[in-house]
Amino acid sequence: LTSKKLLHEYTQRVSENETEISNPVTEDYHVLRSSIIPNLLELLRNNKHRELPQSVFEVGHIVKMHTNLHSLAWMKMATKNTFSQAKIISDSIALRLEIKGEIKECEDPIFIPGRSVELNDGNVLLKYGEIHPFTLEKFELGYPIICGEIHW
């Protein structure tokens, strides 16, 4: 569970028709998440007092178009992060999980334009890149972050 604020307002992502909870206990958790990345950003915000670098990951479920999917997301916050580092991590994960497909530039607003790509083999979608400064500011994070997410 998550909120529309985390999924859309803080990331500039458009709504993917997420499933809303009919009787939520709190406003912070009223929709089923369509991505793990905002939850990991929230985790880093809550742990920004810890020393750098910080690396986190989560394997869990997401819901897109009213369909349950598996997801693996990873994130690294450090004083210096580059798209090349995100590519190395994502290539390693794709190799181990045998994910192959066409790589093209990604137009996801959570990432810096020109510094994100996606790989889609028809069954598995992998996106990775550098988090956009707007999103970093909204989550009150002062260091660059690279991340990636796989949906299958």
Side-chain angles (χ1 to χ4, degrees):
L1 294 175
T2 190
S3 69
K4 287 185 178 181
K5 182 190 288 186
L6 288 182
L7 282 178
H8 306 300
E9 291 176 34
Y10 285 12
T11 65
Q12 301 184 85
R13 285 177 160 172
V14 296
S15 175
E16 295 185 66
N17 197 21
E18 287 87 12
T19 304
E20 293 191 36
I21 305 300
S22 59
N23 191 13
V25 176
T26 170
E27 287 185 27
D28 292 335
Y29 303 104
H30 64 276
V31 295
L32 299 179
R33 66 186 178 177
S34 57
S35 174
I36 293 175
I37 291 174
N39 295 98
L40 292 181
L41 288 165
E42 182 75 9
L43 176 73
L44 289 178
R45 175 170 54 181
N46 292 334
N47 287 283
K48 64 184 175 183
H49 61 282
R50 304 276 184 199
E51 77 182 65
L52 297 177
Q54 291 184 39
S55 297
V56 295
F57 74 94
E58 180 180 343
V59 177
H61 294 279
I62 60 170
V63 177
K64 285 191 171 237
M65 304 303 274
H66 305 290
T67 302
N68 293 332
L69 298 173
H70 298 284
S71 182
L72 178 149
W74 62 269
M75 190 169 287
K76 181 179 178 188
M77 180 169 65
T79 55
K80 293 183 180 180
N81 272 321
T82 64
F83 175 78
S84 297
Q85 291 169 315
K87 182 179 181 344
I88 290 168
I89 294 168
S90 293
D91 284 352
S92 176
I93 293 169
L95 179 67
R96 289 178 186 259
L97 297 178
E98 299 178 359
I99 302 170
K100 298 175 181 156
E102 181 184 346
I103 296 176
K104 64 179 186 176
E105 187 172 334
C106 177
E107 296 188 17
D108 188 331
I110 199 168
F111 296 117
I112 298 172
R115 295 193 197 168
S116 63
V117 297
E118 66 180 50
L119 183 151
N120 192 341
D121 76 355
N123 295 317
V124 178
L125 173 66
L126 164 62
K127 289 183 180 184
Y128 62 90
E130 294 180 54
I131 296 291
H132 197 284
F134 174 88
T135 301
L136 294 176
E137 185 179 314
K138 286 292 187 180
F139 281 95
E140 302 169 7
L141 297 166
Y143 294 98
I145 294 176
I146 54 174
C147 71
E149 185 166 22
I150 302 170
H151 299 166
W152 74 97

